[in-house]
Amino acid sequence: PYNDTIRDALQAMIVTIVGTGFSGFARFRDYASYIEERGLAINLASYVGQGIIRGCVMGSSADPAGGREFSAMERFLEEALEDGVIGISTGLIYPPGSMTGSDELIRLMKSAARIKSGTPPVYATHMRNEGGDIHTALKEAMAIGGGSGVCGL
């Protein structure tokens, strides 16, 4: 039967993973504070969206990030990791993720691993292709996660 002990154990295990846009808040810490102030009893985690980071810096440009742009993306990433996000998600089938090359993604994941020492950040991907070219998309996802020091999903 369901009792207080089971309820407590379930609450400790259940984590709500929220979207990468922080539901209208500019920073994850602001969103987490908003949730906490309302007394909501949930274990909360979030990713930062690579597309959000790139879009803030590069707009709709399909060009690879240059030195200044990449440094700006790293600053956004560092802010998000310091705020407590668990890692980075990508939507490589949608712009601006679809305009981001593998080399840039690997470099960003390496930056995430360097910034977040200790527990490696999680890399969650919506691959570039889930149909006829799925093998290429899987190879890319493994290359992005595999050599960068992040924990890939």
Side-chain angles (χ1 to χ4, degrees), residues 40-125:
L40 298 176
I42 60 173
N43 296 314
L44 182 67
S46 181
Y47 298 102
V48 61
Q50 173 270 336
I52 291 172
I53 292 172
R54 190 176 208 282
C56 285
V57 174
M58 303 285 294
S60 60
S61 173
D63 295 334
R68 276 194 203 136
E69 292 94 356
F70 194 81
S71 292
M73 286 192 280
E74 281 184 312
R75 285 191 299 277
F76 276 107
L77 176 60
E78 186 169 13
E79 252 182 27
L81 290 167
E82 287 174 357
D83 284 356
V85 301
I86 60 172
I88 306 173
S89 64
T90 57
L92 302 181
I93 204 164
Y94 311 108
S98 60
M99 299 181 287
T100 309
S102 298
D103 290 342
E104 184 177 309
L105 292 166
I106 291 168
R107 190 172 167 202
L108 193 63
M109 298 306 154
K110 285 182 177 180
S111 294
R114 179 183 43 76
I115 293 166
K116 187 176 168 107
S117 59
T119 305
V122 177
Y123 165 53
T125 188

Side-chain angles (χ1 to χ4, degrees), residues 3 10 14 30-31 36 51 55 59 67-69 76-77 100 107 109 124 133 136-137 142 144 150:
N3 59 36
L10 288 173
I14 297 171
D30 298 331
Y31 179 66
E36 187 175 356
R68 276 194 203 136
E69 292 94 356
F76 276 107
L77 176 60
T100 309
R107 190 172 167 202
M109 298 306 154
D133 202 19
T136 302
M142 288 185 275
I144 292 166
V150 297

